[in-house]
C-alpha cells in the first residue's frame, strides 16, 4: 500500500506518519509528500527522512482543475492508494475527489462538526467549551464535512492558552493518525485480497 501525504505547513503529523511507516508500524509506505507551499517546513522534514517530495504551487496553473489534474498525475505515477491530508489548508475540488473517491482522509483539531475551518483551536477557546478534540474524516467537497472515521476528546483546563491546547491536541493527533491510517490500510488490503 502506498500513501501520499499533503501538507501546507510544519508537518509534525507528516513526520510522525513517515516515522511510523519507516519503523514498520504501518502496512504501507509513504511514497510522496506534496505541498502547495514551496517554503513549507514539511518538505525539509520529509527529505531528511529520505521521502520523495514535490512542491506544486496552485498559482502556477490556470485554474484549480488544472492544478488538481497535476496532483492526480503525480499520485497516479506513484500508484498511491491513500491520500492523507496532514495540515493541507485547501479545499479538495472535483478533479481530485473523483479520481480518489473514498481514498482521501483529513485530520482536524476539533470535534467536528464543531469548529470547522481555520483556527479550530482558537474557535474552541473563544467559545469557552470545556472539551474539544481531534477528528479524522473522509474528505468530501465541503469544509471539514466528510464522514467521520474517528474522534478523540481533549479536555480544556482552567487558564488554557492557544499554545497549551495546541500542544495537547497535537499529542493526541500524533497517536491517533498513525493508528487510524493503519486500520484503513488493513481494510484496503482486505478488500484487495
Ligand atoms: C494539525 O493540527 C491539523 O489537525 C490541522 O493543521 C495542523 C497541522 O499541523 N489541520 C487543519 O486545521 C485542517 N482543517 P502539522 O503541520 O504540525 O501536522
Amino acid at each position: 500500500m502506498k500513501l501520499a501525504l499533503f501538507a501546507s505547513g510544519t508537518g509534525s503529523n507528516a513526520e510522525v506518519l513517515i516515522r511510523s511507516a519507516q519503523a514498520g508500524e504501518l502496512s504501507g509506505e509513504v511514497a510522496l509528500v506534496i505541498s502547495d507551499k514551496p517554503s513549507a517546513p514539511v518538505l525539509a522534514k520529509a527529505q531528511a527522512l529520505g521521502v520523495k517530495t514535490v512542491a506544486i504551487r496552485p498559482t502556477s496553473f490556470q485554474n484549480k482543475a488544472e492544478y488538481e489534474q497535476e496532483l492526480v498525475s503525480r499520485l497516479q505515477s506513484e500508484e498511491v492508494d491513500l491520500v492523507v491530508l496532514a495540515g493541507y489548508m485547501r479545499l479538495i475540488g472535483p478533479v481530485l475527489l473523483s479520481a480518489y473517491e473514498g481514498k482521501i482522509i483529513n485530520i482536524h483539531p476539533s470535534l467536528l462538526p464543531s469548529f470547522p475551518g481555520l483556527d479550530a483551536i482558537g474557535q474552541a477557546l473563544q467559545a469557552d467549551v470545556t472539551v474539544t478534540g481531534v477528528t479524522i474524516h473522509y474528505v468530501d467537497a465541503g469544509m471539514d464535512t466528510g464522514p467521520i472515521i474517528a474522534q478523540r476528546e481533549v479536555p480544556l483546563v482552567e487558564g488554557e492558552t492557544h499554545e497549551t491546547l495546541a500542544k495537547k491536541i497535537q499529542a493526541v493527533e500524533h497517536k491517533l493518525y498513525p493508528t487510524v491510517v493503519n486500520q484503513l490500510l488493513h481494510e484496503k488490503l482486505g478488500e484487495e485480497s
Side-chain angles (χ1 to χ4, degrees), residues 9-14 86-87 89 106-109 117 144 170 173:
T10 313
S12 69
N13 281 284
M89 305 308 269
N106 181 44
I107 192 162
H108 185 78
D144 303 317
Q170 288 235 311
E173 290 187 337

Side-chain angles (χ1 to χ4, degrees), residues 8-171:
S8 305
T10 313
S12 69
N13 281 284
E15 182 176 357
V16 164
L17 289 165
I18 293 167
R19 288 189 187 279
S20 303
Q22 291 180 344
E25 292 158 11
L26 300 185
S27 301
E29 59 166 306
V30 178
L32 184 63
V33 171
I34 296 182
S35 183
D36 56 328
K37 295 224 158 58
S39 59
V42 66
L43 293 169
K45 284 198 174 98
Q47 284 157 15
L49 291 165
V51 175
K52 184 170 174 179
T53 64
V54 53
I56 305 176
R57 257 187 231 268
T59 51
S60 311
F61 298 84
Q62 295 277 346
N63 51 46
K64 185 161 180 145
E66 284 185 17
Y67 164 62
E68 290 202 338
Q69 193 48 58
E70 174 67 18
L71 296 176
V72 169
S73 305
R74 302 284 185 141
L75 295 172
Q76 286 174 342
S77 68
E78 296 291 337
E79 299 181 329
V80 165
D81 300 290
L82 185 68
V83 176
V84 178
L85 309 187
Y88 179 70
M89 305 308 269
R90 279 178 191 279
L91 277 179
I92 303 294
V95 171
L96 186 49
L97 269 179
S98 62
Y100 280 83
E101 204 186 336
K103 294 179 180 171
I104 309 176
I105 63 169
N106 181 44
I107 192 162
H108 185 78
S110 75
L111 295 175
L112 290 171
S114 295
F115 314 130
L118 290 178
D119 193 17
I121 293 171
Q123 292 184 55
L125 286 166
Q126 192 73 36
D128 210 13
V129 291
T130 54
V131 178
T132 184
V134 172
T135 301
I136 296 170
H137 64 96
Y138 286 106
V139 171
D140 65 10
M143 168 92 77
D144 303 317
T145 51
I148 290 170
I149 304 166
Q151 291 187 304
R152 289 290 179 278
E153 291 187 351
V154 175
L156 279 76
V157 295
E158 195 69 28
E160 196 84 72
T161 65
H162 199 287
E163 197 183 348
T164 58
L165 184 55
K167 224 178 199 169
K168 290 197 303 195
I169 284 184
Q170 288 235 311

